[in-house]
Coordinates of all heavy atoms in Angstrom, one line a residue:
M1 N -5.6 45.6 71.5 CA -4.2 45.8 72.0 C -3.2 45.4 70.9 O -3.3 44.4 70.2 CB -4.0 44.8 73.2 CG -2.7 45.1 73.9 SD -2.4 43.8 75.1 CE -1.2 42.8 74.3
M2 N -2.2 46.3 70.7 CA -1.2 46.1 69.7 C -0.1 45.2 70.2 O 0.3 45.4 71.4 CB -0.6 47.4 69.2 CG -1.6 48.3 68.5 SD -2.2 47.7 67.0 CE -0.9 48.2 65.8
R3 N 0.3 44.3 69.4 CA 1.4 43.4 69.8 C 2.6 43.8 68.9 O 2.4 44.3 67.8 CB 1.1 42.0 69.6 CG -0.1 41.5 70.4 CD -0.5 40.1 69.9 NE -1.8 39.8 70.4 CZ -2.0 39.0 71.5 NH1 -1.0 38.5 72.1 NH2 -3.2 38.7 71.9
V4 N 3.8 43.5 69.4 CA 5.0 43.7 68.6 C 5.6 42.3 68.3 O 5.8 41.5 69.1 CB 6.0 44.5 69.4 CG1 7.3 44.7 68.5 CG2 5.5 45.9 69.7
C5 N 5.8 42.1 67.0 CA 6.3 40.9 66.5 C 7.8 40.8 66.8 O 8.5 41.7 66.4 CB 6.1 40.7 65.0 SG 6.9 39.3 64.3
P6 N 8.3 39.7 67.5 CA 9.7 39.6 67.8 C 10.6 39.4 66.6 O 11.8 39.5 66.7 CB 9.8 38.5 68.8 CG 8.6 37.6 68.5 CD 7.5 38.6 68.0
I7 N 10.0 39.0 65.5 CA 10.8 38.6 64.3 C 11.0 39.9 63.5 O 12.2 40.2 63.2 CB 10.2 37.5 63.5 CG1 10.2 36.2 64.3 CG2 10.9 37.3 62.2 CD1 9.7 35.0 63.6
C8 N 10.0 40.5 63.1 CA 10.1 41.7 62.2 C 10.0 43.0 62.9 O 10.3 44.0 62.3 CB 9.1 41.6 61.0 SG 7.4 41.8 61.6
G9 N 9.6 42.9 64.1 CA 9.6 44.2 64.9 C 8.4 45.1 64.7 O 8.3 46.2 65.2
K10 N 7.5 44.6 63.8 CA 6.3 45.4 63.5 C 5.2 45.3 64.5 O 5.1 44.2 65.1 CB 5.8 45.0 62.1 CG 6.4 45.8 61.0 CD 5.5 45.6 59.7 CE 5.6 44.2 59.1 NZ 5.2 44.1 57.8
E11 N 4.4 46.3 64.7 CA 3.3 46.2 65.5 C 2.1 45.6 64.7 O 2.0 45.9 63.5 CB 2.9 47.6 66.0 CG 3.8 48.1 67.1 CD 3.2 49.4 67.8 OE1 2.2 49.9 67.2 OE2 3.7 49.7 68.8
Y12 N 1.4 44.8 65.3 CA 0.2 44.2 64.6 C -1.0 44.1 65.5 O -0.8 44.0 66.7 CB 0.6 42.9 63.9 CG 0.9 41.8 64.9 CD1 0.0 40.8 65.3 CD2 2.2 41.7 65.5 CE1 0.3 39.8 66.2 CE2 2.5 40.7 66.4 CZ 1.5 39.8 66.7 OH 1.8 38.8 67.6
D13 N -2.1 44.0 64.9 CA -3.3 43.9 65.6 C -4.0 42.6 65.3 O -3.8 42.1 64.2 CB -4.3 45.1 65.2 CG -5.3 45.4 66.2 OD1 -5.3 44.8 67.3 OD2 -6.1 46.4 66.0
G14 N -4.6 42.0 66.3 CA -5.4 40.8 66.0 C -4.7 39.6 66.5 O -3.8 39.6 67.3
Y15 N -5.1 38.4 66.0 CA -4.6 37.2 66.6 C -3.2 36.8 66.1 O -3.0 36.8 64.9 CB -5.6 36.1 66.2 CG -5.5 34.9 67.1 CD1 -6.1 34.9 68.4 CD2 -4.9 33.7 66.6 CE1 -5.9 33.8 69.2 CE2 -4.9 32.6 67.4 CZ -5.3 32.6 68.7 OH -5.2 31.6 69.5
P16 N -2.3 36.5 67.0 CA -1.0 36.2 66.6 C -0.9 34.8 66.0 O -1.7 33.9 66.3 CB -0.2 36.3 67.9 CG -1.2 36.0 69.0 CD -2.5 36.5 68.5
A17 N 0.2 34.5 65.3 CA 0.5 33.2 64.9 C 1.6 32.6 65.8 O 2.3 33.4 66.4 CB 1.0 33.2 63.4
L18 N 1.7 31.3 65.9 CA 2.7 30.7 66.7 C 3.9 30.4 65.9 O 3.8 29.9 64.8 CB 2.2 29.4 67.4 CG 1.4 29.6 68.7 CD1 1.2 28.2 69.3 CD2 2.2 30.4 69.7
S19 N 5.1 30.8 66.4 CA 6.3 30.4 65.6 C 6.4 28.9 65.6 O 6.3 28.2 66.6 CB 7.5 31.1 66.3 OG 8.7 30.6 65.7
R20 N 6.8 28.4 64.4 CA 7.0 27.0 64.3 C 8.3 26.5 64.9 O 8.6 25.4 65.1 CB 7.0 26.6 62.8 CG 5.7 26.6 62.2 CD 5.7 26.6 60.7 NE 4.3 26.8 60.3 CZ 3.6 25.9 59.6 NH1 4.2 24.7 59.2 NH2 2.4 26.1 59.3
K21 N 9.2 27.5 65.2 CA 10.5 27.2 65.7 C 10.4 26.7 67.1 O 11.1 25.7 67.5 CB 11.4 28.4 65.6 CG 11.9 28.6 64.2 CD 12.6 29.9 64.0 CE 12.7 30.2 62.5 NZ 12.8 31.6 62.2
D22 N 9.6 27.3 67.9 CA 9.5 26.8 69.3 C 8.1 26.5 69.8 O 7.8 26.1 70.9 CB 10.2 27.7 70.3 CG 9.6 29.1 70.2 OD1 8.6 29.3 69.6 OD2 10.2 30.0 70.8
N23 N 7.1 26.8 68.9 CA 5.7 26.6 69.2 C 5.2 27.4 70.4 O 4.1 27.0 70.9 CB 5.5 25.1 69.4 CG 4.8 24.5 68.2 OD1 4.2 25.1 67.4 ND2 5.1 23.2 68.0
C24 N 5.9 28.4 70.8 CA 5.3 29.2 71.9 C 5.5 30.7 71.7 O 4.8 31.5 72.3 CB 5.8 28.8 73.2 SG 7.5 29.0 73.5
T25 N 6.4 31.1 70.8 CA 6.6 32.5 70.5 C 5.4 33.0 69.6 O 5.1 32.4 68.6 CB 7.9 32.7 69.8 OG1 9.0 32.1 70.5 CG2 8.2 34.2 69.6
E26 N 4.8 34.1 70.1 CA 3.8 34.7 69.3 C 4.3 35.7 68.3 O 5.0 36.6 68.6 CB 2.7 35.4 70.2 CG 2.0 34.3 71.1 CD 0.9 35.0 71.9 OE1 1.0 36.2 72.1 OE2 0.0 34.3 72.3
I27 N 4.0 35.5 67.0 CA 4.6 36.3 65.9 C 3.4 36.8 65.1 O 2.3 36.3 65.2 CB 5.6 35.5 65.1 CG1 4.9 34.3 64.4 CG2 6.8 35.1 65.9 CD1 5.8 33.5 63.5
C28 N 3.7 37.8 64.2 CA 2.6 38.4 63.4 C 2.2 37.4 62.3 O 2.9 36.5 62.0 CB 3.0 39.7 62.9 SG 4.2 39.7 61.5
P29 N 1.0 37.6 61.8 CA 0.5 36.6 60.8 C 1.4 36.6 59.5 O 1.6 35.6 58.9 CB -0.9 37.2 60.4 CG -1.3 38.0 61.6 CD 0.0 38.5 62.2
D30 N 2.0 37.8 59.2 CA 2.9 37.8 58.0 C 4.1 36.8 58.2 O 4.5 36.1 57.3 CB 3.5 39.2 57.8 CG 2.4 40.1 57.2 OD1 1.4 39.5 56.8 OD2 2.6 41.3 57.1
C31 N 4.7 36.9 59.4 CA 5.8 36.0 59.7 C 5.4 34.6 59.8 O 6.1 33.7 59.5 CB 6.5 36.5 61.0 SG 7.5 38.0 60.8
G32 N 4.2 34.4 60.3 CA 3.6 33.0 60.4 C 3.5 32.4 59.0 O 3.8 31.3 58.8
T33 N 3.1 33.3 58.0 CA 3.0 32.8 56.6 C 4.4 32.5 56.1 O 4.6 31.5 55.4 CB 2.3 33.9 55.8 OG1 1.0 34.2 56.4 CG2 2.1 33.4 54.4
R34 N 5.3 33.4 56.4 CA 6.6 33.2 55.9 C 7.3 31.9 56.4 O 8.0 31.2 55.7 CB 7.5 34.4 56.3 CG 8.6 34.8 55.4 CD 9.2 36.1 55.7 NE 8.2 37.2 55.6 CZ 8.2 38.3 56.4 NH1 9.1 38.4 57.3 NH2 7.2 39.2 56.3
E35 N 7.0 31.6 57.7 CA 7.5 30.4 58.3 C 6.9 29.1 57.7 O 7.5 28.1 57.7 CB 7.3 30.4 59.8 CG 8.3 31.2 60.5 CD 8.4 30.9 62.0 OE1 7.6 30.1 62.5 OE2 9.3 31.5 62.7
A36 N 5.7 29.3 57.1 CA 5.0 28.1 56.5 C 5.6 27.8 55.2 O 5.4 26.7 54.7 CB 3.5 28.4 56.4
V37 N 6.4 28.7 54.7 CA 7.1 28.4 53.4 C 8.4 27.7 53.7 O 9.2 28.1 54.5 CB 7.4 29.8 52.7 CG1 8.2 29.5 51.4 CG2 6.1 30.5 52.4
E38 N 8.6 26.6 52.9 CA 9.8 25.9 53.1 C 10.9 26.4 52.1 O 10.6 26.4 50.9 CB 9.5 24.4 52.9 CG 10.6 23.5 53.6 CD 10.3 22.1 53.4 OE1 9.1 21.7 53.6 OE2 11.2 21.3 53.2
V39 N 12.0 26.7 52.6 CA 13.1 27.2 51.7 C 14.2 26.1 51.7 O 14.6 25.6 52.7 CB 13.6 28.5 52.2 CG1 14.7 29.0 51.3 CG2 12.5 29.6 52.3
Y40 N 14.6 25.8 50.5 CA 15.7 24.9 50.4 C 16.6 25.3 49.2 O 16.2 26.1 48.4 CB 15.3 23.4 50.3 CG 14.4 23.1 49.1 CD1 15.0 22.6 48.0 CD2 13.1 23.4 49.2 CE1 14.2 22.3 46.9 CE2 12.3 23.1 48.1 CZ 12.9 22.5 46.9 OH 12.1 22.2 45.8
T41 N 17.8 24.7 49.2 CA 18.7 25.0 48.1 C 18.9 23.8 47.2 O 18.8 22.7 47.6 CB 20.0 25.5 48.6 OG1 20.5 24.6 49.6 CG2 19.9 26.9 49.3
L42 N 19.2 24.1 45.9 CA 19.4 23.1 44.9 C 20.8 23.5 44.3 O 20.9 24.5 43.6 CB 18.3 23.1 43.9 CG 18.0 21.9 43.2 CD1 17.4 20.8 44.1 CD2 16.9 22.2 42.1
Y43 N 21.7 22.6 44.4 CA 23.0 22.9 43.8 C 23.2 22.2 42.5 O 23.0 21.0 42.3 CB 24.1 22.5 44.8 CG 25.5 22.7 44.3 CD1 26.0 24.0 44.1 CD2 26.4 21.7 44.1 CE1 27.2 24.2 43.6 CE2 27.7 21.9 43.6 CZ 28.1 23.2 43.4 OH 29.4 23.4 42.9
S44 N 23.6 23.0 41.5 CA 23.9 22.5 40.2 C 25.4 22.5 40.0 O 26.1 23.5 40.0 CB 23.3 23.4 39.1 OG 24.0 23.1 37.9
Q45 N 26.0 21.2 40.0 CA 27.4 21.1 39.9 C 28.0 21.6 38.6 O 29.0 22.1 38.5 CB 27.8 19.6 40.1 CG 29.0 19.4 40.9 CD 29.1 18.0 41.5 OE1 28.3 17.1 41.2 NE2 30.0 17.8 42.4
E46 N 27.2 21.3 37.5 CA 27.6 21.7 36.2 C 27.9 23.2 36.1 O 28.9 23.6 35.6 CB 26.4 21.5 35.2 CG 26.7 20.5 34.2 CD 25.4 20.1 33.4 OE1 25.1 20.9 32.5 OE2 24.8 19.1 33.8
G47 N 27.0 24.0 36.6 CA 27.2 25.5 36.5 C 27.8 26.1 37.8 O 28.1 27.3 37.8
D48 N 28.0 25.2 38.8 CA 28.5 25.7 40.1 C 27.6 26.8 40.6 O 28.0 27.9 41.0 CB 29.9 26.2 40.0 CG 30.5 26.5 41.4 OD1 30.1 25.8 42.4 OD2 31.4 27.3 41.5
I49 N 26.3 26.5 40.5 CA 25.3 27.5 40.9 C 24.4 26.9 42.0 O 24.0 25.7 41.8 CB 24.4 28.0 39.7 CG1 25.3 28.7 38.7 CG2 23.2 28.8 40.1 CD1 24.5 29.1 37.4
T50 N 24.0 27.7 43.0 CA 23.0 27.2 43.9 C 21.7 28.0 43.7 O 21.7 29.2 43.7 CB 23.5 27.5 45.4 OG1 24.7 26.7 45.6 CG2 22.5 27.1 46.4
F51 N 20.7 27.3 43.5 CA 19.4 27.9 43.4 C 18.6 27.9 44.7 O 18.7 26.9 45.4 CB 18.5 27.1 42.3 CG 19.1 27.2 40.9 CD1 19.9 26.2 40.4 CD2 18.9 28.3 40.2 CE1 20.4 26.2 39.2 CE2 19.4 28.4 38.9 CZ 20.2 27.4 38.4
I52 N 17.9 28.9 45.0 CA 17.1 29.0 46.2 C 15.7 28.7 45.8 O 15.1 29.4 45.0 CB 17.3 30.4 46.9 CG1 18.7 30.7 47.1 CG2 16.5 30.4 48.2 CD1 19.0 32.2 47.4
M53 N 15.1 27.7 46.4 CA 13.8 27.3 46.1 C 12.8 27.6 47.2 O 13.2 27.5 48.4 CB 13.7 25.8 45.8 CG 14.9 25.3 44.9 SD 14.8 25.8 43.2 CE 13.4 24.8 42.7
E54 N 11.6 27.9 46.9 CA 10.6 28.0 47.9 C 9.4 27.1 47.6 O 8.9 27.0 46.5 CB 10.0 29.5 47.9 CG 10.8 30.4 48.9 CD 10.1 31.8 49.0 OE1 9.0 31.9 48.6 OE2 10.8 32.7 49.5
D55 N 9.0 26.4 48.6 CA 7.9 25.5 48.5 C 6.7 26.0 49.3 O 6.7 26.2 50.5 CB 8.3 24.1 49.1 CG 8.4 23.0 48.1 OD1 8.1 23.4 46.9 OD2 8.6 21.9 48.5
K56 N 5.6 26.4 48.6 CA 4.4 26.8 49.2 C 3.3 25.8 48.9 O 2.9 25.8 47.7 CB 4.0 28.2 48.8 CG 4.9 29.3 49.3 CD 4.4 30.6 48.7 CE 5.6 31.6 48.6 NZ 5.3 32.7 47.7
K57 N 2.9 25.0 49.8 CA 1.9 24.0 49.6 C 2.1 23.3 48.3 O 2.9 22.3 48.2 CB 0.5 24.7 49.6 CG 0.1 25.0 51.0 CD -1.3 25.6 51.0 CE -1.6 26.0 52.5 NZ -2.8 26.9 52.5
N58 N 1.5 23.7 47.1 CA 1.7 23.0 45.9 C 2.6 23.6 44.9 O 2.8 23.2 43.8 CB 0.4 22.7 45.2 CG -0.6 21.9 46.2 OD1 -0.1 21.0 46.9 ND2 -1.8 22.4 46.2
T59 N 3.2 24.8 45.3 CA 3.9 25.5 44.3 C 5.4 25.6 44.7 O 5.7 25.9 45.8 CB 3.4 27.0 44.2 OG1 2.1 27.0 44.6 CG2 3.7 27.6 42.9
T60 N 6.3 25.3 43.8 CA 7.7 25.5 44.0 C 8.2 26.6 43.1 O 7.9 26.5 41.9 CB 8.4 24.2 43.7 OG1 7.9 23.1 44.5 CG2 9.9 24.3 44.0
S61 N 8.9 27.5 43.6 CA 9.4 28.5 42.7 C 10.9 28.8 43.1 O 11.3 28.6 44.2 CB 8.6 29.8 42.8 OG 8.3 30.1 44.1
V62 N 11.6 29.3 42.1 CA 13.0 29.7 42.3 C 13.0 31.2 42.7 O 12.4 32.0 42.0 CB 13.8 29.5 41.0 CG1 15.3 29.9 41.2 CG2 13.7 28.1 40.5
V63 N 13.6 31.5 43.8 CA 13.5 32.8 44.3 C 14.8 33.5 44.3 O 15.0 34.7 44.8 CB 12.8 32.9 45.7 CG1 11.3 32.5 45.6 CG2 13.5 32.1 46.7
G64 N 15.8 32.8 43.9 CA 17.2 33.4 43.9 C 18.2 32.4 43.5 O 17.9 31.2 43.4
F65 N 19.4 32.9 43.3 CA 20.5 32.0 43.0 C 21.8 32.7 43.3 O 21.9 33.9 43.4 CB 20.5 31.5 41.5 CG 20.9 32.5 40.5 CD1 22.2 32.6 40.1 CD2 20.0 33.4 40.0 CE1 22.6 33.5 39.2 CE2 20.4 34.4 39.1 CZ 21.7 34.4 38.7
Y66 N 22.9 31.9 43.5 CA 24.2 32.5 43.6 C 25.2 31.5 43.1 O 24.9 30.3 43.0 CB 24.5 33.0 45.0 CG 24.2 32.0 46.1 CD1 25.1 31.0 46.5 CD2 23.0 31.9 46.7 CE1 24.9 30.1 47.5 CE2 22.7 31.0 47.7 CZ 23.6 30.1 48.1 OH 23.4 29.2 49.1
Y67 N 26.4 31.9 42.8 CA 27.4 31.0 42.4 C 28.2 30.4 43.6 O 28.3 31.0 44.6 CB 28.4 31.8 41.5 CG 27.8 32.2 40.2 CD1 27.4 33.5 40.0 CD2 27.5 31.3 39.2 CE1 26.7 34.0 38.9 CE2 26.9 31.7 38.0 CZ 26.5 33.0 37.9 OH 25.9 33.4 36.7
G68 N 28.5 29.2 43.4 CA 29.2 28.4 44.4 C 28.3 27.5 45.1 O 27.1 27.3 44.8
E69 N 28.8 26.8 46.1 CA 28.1 25.8 46.8 C 27.1 26.4 47.9 O 27.4 27.6 48.3 CB 29.0 24.8 47.5 CG 29.8 24.0 46.5 CD 30.6 22.9 47.1 OE1 30.4 22.6 48.3 OE2 31.5 22.3 46.4
P70 N 26.1 25.7 48.2 CA 25.1 26.3 49.2 C 25.7 26.7 50.5 O 26.5 25.9 51.1 CB 24.1 25.1 49.4 CG 24.3 24.2 48.3 CD 25.8 24.3 47.8
N71 N 25.4 27.8 51.0 CA 25.7 28.2 52.3 C 24.7 29.2 52.9 O 24.0 29.9 52.1 CB 27.1 28.8 52.5 CG 27.3 30.1 51.8 OD1 26.8 31.1 52.3 ND2 27.9 30.2 50.7
K72 N 24.5 29.1 54.2 CA 23.4 29.8 54.8 C 23.4 31.3 54.5 O 22.3 32.0 54.3 CB 23.3 29.6 56.3 CG 22.6 28.3 56.6 CD 22.5 28.1 58.2 CE 22.0 26.8 58.5 NZ 22.3 26.4 59.9
E73 N 24.6 31.9 54.6 CA 24.6 33.4 54.5 C 24.2 33.8 53.1 O 23.4 34.8 53.0 CB 26.1 33.8 54.7 CG 26.3 34.4 56.1 CD 27.7 34.7 56.4 OE1 28.3 35.4 55.6 OE2 28.2 34.3 57.4
N74 N 24.7 33.2 52.1 CA 24.3 33.5 50.7 C 22.8 33.3 50.5 O 22.1 34.0 49.8 CB 25.1 32.8 49.7 CG 26.5 33.4 49.5 OD1 26.7 34.5 50.0 ND2 27.4 32.7 48.9
T75 N 22.3 32.2 51.0 CA 20.9 31.9 50.9 C 20.1 33.0 51.4 O 19.1 33.4 50.8 CB 20.6 30.5 51.5 OG1 21.3 29.5 50.9 CG2 19.1 30.2 51.4
R76 N 20.5 33.5 52.6 CA 19.7 34.6 53.2 C 19.8 35.8 52.4 O 18.9 36.6 52.2 CB 20.2 34.8 54.7 CG 19.2 35.5 55.5 CD 19.6 35.8 56.9 NE 20.5 34.7 57.5 CZ 21.7 34.9 58.0 NH1 22.2 36.1 58.0 NH2 22.4 33.9 58.5
E77 N 21.0 36.1 51.9 CA 21.3 37.3 51.2 C 20.6 37.4 49.8 O 20.0 38.4 49.4 CB 22.8 37.6 51.0 CG 23.1 38.9 50.4 CD 24.6 39.1 50.2 OE1 25.3 38.5 50.9 OE2 24.9 40.0 49.4
F78 N 20.6 36.3 49.1 CA 20.1 36.3 47.8 C 18.6 35.8 47.6 O 18.1 35.9 46.6 CB 21.0 35.4 46.9 CG 22.3 36.1 46.6 CD1 23.4 35.6 47.4 CD2 22.5 37.1 45.7 CE1 24.7 36.2 47.2 CE2 23.7 37.7 45.5 CZ 24.8 37.3 46.3
R79 N 18.1 35.4 48.7 CA 16.7 34.9 48.7 C 15.8 36.1 48.3 O 15.8 37.1 48.9 CB 16.3 34.4 50.0 CG 14.9 33.8 50.0 CD 14.5 33.3 51.3 NE 13.0 33.1 51.4 CZ 12.3 32.9 52.5 NH1 12.9 32.9 53.6 NH2 11.0 32.8 52.4
G80 N 14.9 35.8 47.3 CA 14.0 36.9 46.9 C 14.5 37.9 45.9 O 13.8 38.7 45.4
K81 N 15.8 37.7 45.5 CA 16.4 38.7 44.6 C 16.1 38.3 43.1 O 16.2 39.2 42.3 CB 17.9 38.7 44.7 CG 18.4 39.2 46.1 CD 18.7 40.7 46.1 CE 18.9 41.2 47.5 NZ 20.2 40.9 48.0
L82 N 15.7 37.1 42.9 CA 15.4 36.7 41.5 C 13.9 36.9 41.2 O 13.0 36.4 41.9 CB 15.7 35.3 41.3 CG 15.5 34.8 39.9 CD1 16.7 35.2 39.0 CD2 15.5 33.2 39.9
T83 N 13.6 37.7 40.1 CA 12.2 37.9 39.8 C 12.0 37.4 38.4 O 10.8 37.2 38.0 CB 11.8 39.4 39.9 OG1 12.8 40.1 39.2 CG2 11.7 39.8 41.3
A84 N 13.0 37.2 37.6 CA 12.8 36.8 36.2 C 12.6 35.3 36.1 O 13.1 34.5 36.9 CB 14.0 37.2 35.4
E85 N 12.0 34.9 35.0 CA 11.8 33.5 34.7 C 13.0 33.0 34.0 O 13.7 33.8 33.3 CB 10.6 33.3 33.9 CG 9.3 33.7 34.6 CD 8.9 32.7 35.7 OE1 9.0 31.5 35.4 OE2 8.4 33.1 36.7
F86 N 13.3 31.7 34.0 CA 14.4 31.2 33.3 C 14.0 30.9 31.8 O 12.9 30.5 31.5 CB 14.8 29.8 33.9 CG 15.7 30.0 35.1 CD1 15.2 29.9 36.4 CD2 17.0 30.4 34.9 CE1 16.0 30.1 37.5 CE2 17.8 30.6 36.0 CZ 17.3 30.5 37.3
D87 N 14.9 31.2 30.9 CA 14.7 30.9 29.5 C 14.9 29.4 29.3 O 15.7 28.8 29.9 CB 15.6 31.6 28.6 CG 15.3 33.1 28.6 OD1 14.1 33.4 28.8 OD2 16.2 34.0 28.4
E88 N 14.3 28.9 28.3 CA 14.5 27.5 27.9 C 15.6 27.3 27.0 O 15.5 27.1 25.8 CB 13.2 26.9 27.2 CG 11.9 27.1 28.0 CD 11.6 25.9 28.8 OE1 12.0 24.8 28.4 OE2 11.0 26.0 29.8
G89 N 16.8 27.5 27.5 CA 18.0 27.4 26.7 C 18.2 28.6 25.8 O 17.4 29.6 25.8
E90 N 19.3 28.7 25.1 CA 19.6 29.9 24.3 C 19.5 29.6 22.8 O 19.7 28.6 22.3 CB 21.1 30.3 24.6 CG 21.2 31.0 25.9 CD 22.6 31.3 26.3 OE1 23.5 31.3 25.4 OE2 22.9 31.4 27.5
G91 N 19.1 30.7 22.1 CA 19.1 30.7 20.7 C 18.1 29.7 20.1 O 18.4 29.1 19.0
A92 N 17.0 29.5 20.7 CA 16.1 28.5 20.2 C 15.3 29.0 19.0 O 15.2 30.1 18.7 CB 15.0 28.2 21.3
Ligands
ZN101 ZN1 6.4 39.7 62.1

């Protein structure tokens, strides 16, 4: 039986994951994995830049940034937009 995930709207087959938000909504395994990732922001006052960080078990990565102080809308919009690594300063 195919199920429809209420979060992404995709049909999926197999065992559903439980949403961590309410512990009873059945969601697809992909969204389950996504919810297991902790997202938080790190604000740098010096540059007036907010970095979007993702914590997966033992790995922390920067997945996006925007100028200004942290806010939910920008975090959602810019999350995942960053693919490049940061340079260790300029003109080394
Ligand atoms: Zn889903």
Side-chain angles (χ1 to χ4, degrees):
M1 192 188 101
M2 296 294 277
R3 298 165 193 267
V4 177
C5 172
I7 292 182
C8 65
K10 268 195 293 195
E11 285 192 348
Y12 65 99
D13 205 357
Y15 199 74
L18 275 187
S19 172
R20 286 165 186 244
K21 282 167 193 156
D22 57 11
N23 258 333
C24 67
T25 306
E26 294 184 338
I27 60 178
C28 74
D30 283 350
C31 287
T33 306
R34 212 167 300 146
E35 281 196 355
V37 176
E38 201 176 320
V39 179
Y40 61 97
T41 51
L42 205 67
Y43 179 63
S44 161
Q45 218 159 9
E46 242 172 84
D48 192 29
I49 294 175
T50 297
F51 294 99
I52 307 166
M53 317 290 288
E54 268 186 18
D55 246 2
K56 288 177 207 163
K57 286 183 184 167
N58 303 318
T59 331
T60 302
S61 43
V62 182
V63 294
F65 74 94
Y66 49 88
Y67 294 101
E69 292 187 16
N71 71 71
K72 274 184 189 165
E73 258 173 53
N74 281 348
T75 299
R76 201 180 323 125
E77 187 181 339
F78 289 101
R79 185 182 163 195
K81 294 269 168 78
L82 182 77
T83 49
E85 298 286 321
F86 281 102
D87 289 332
E88 305 266 332
E90 282 174 20

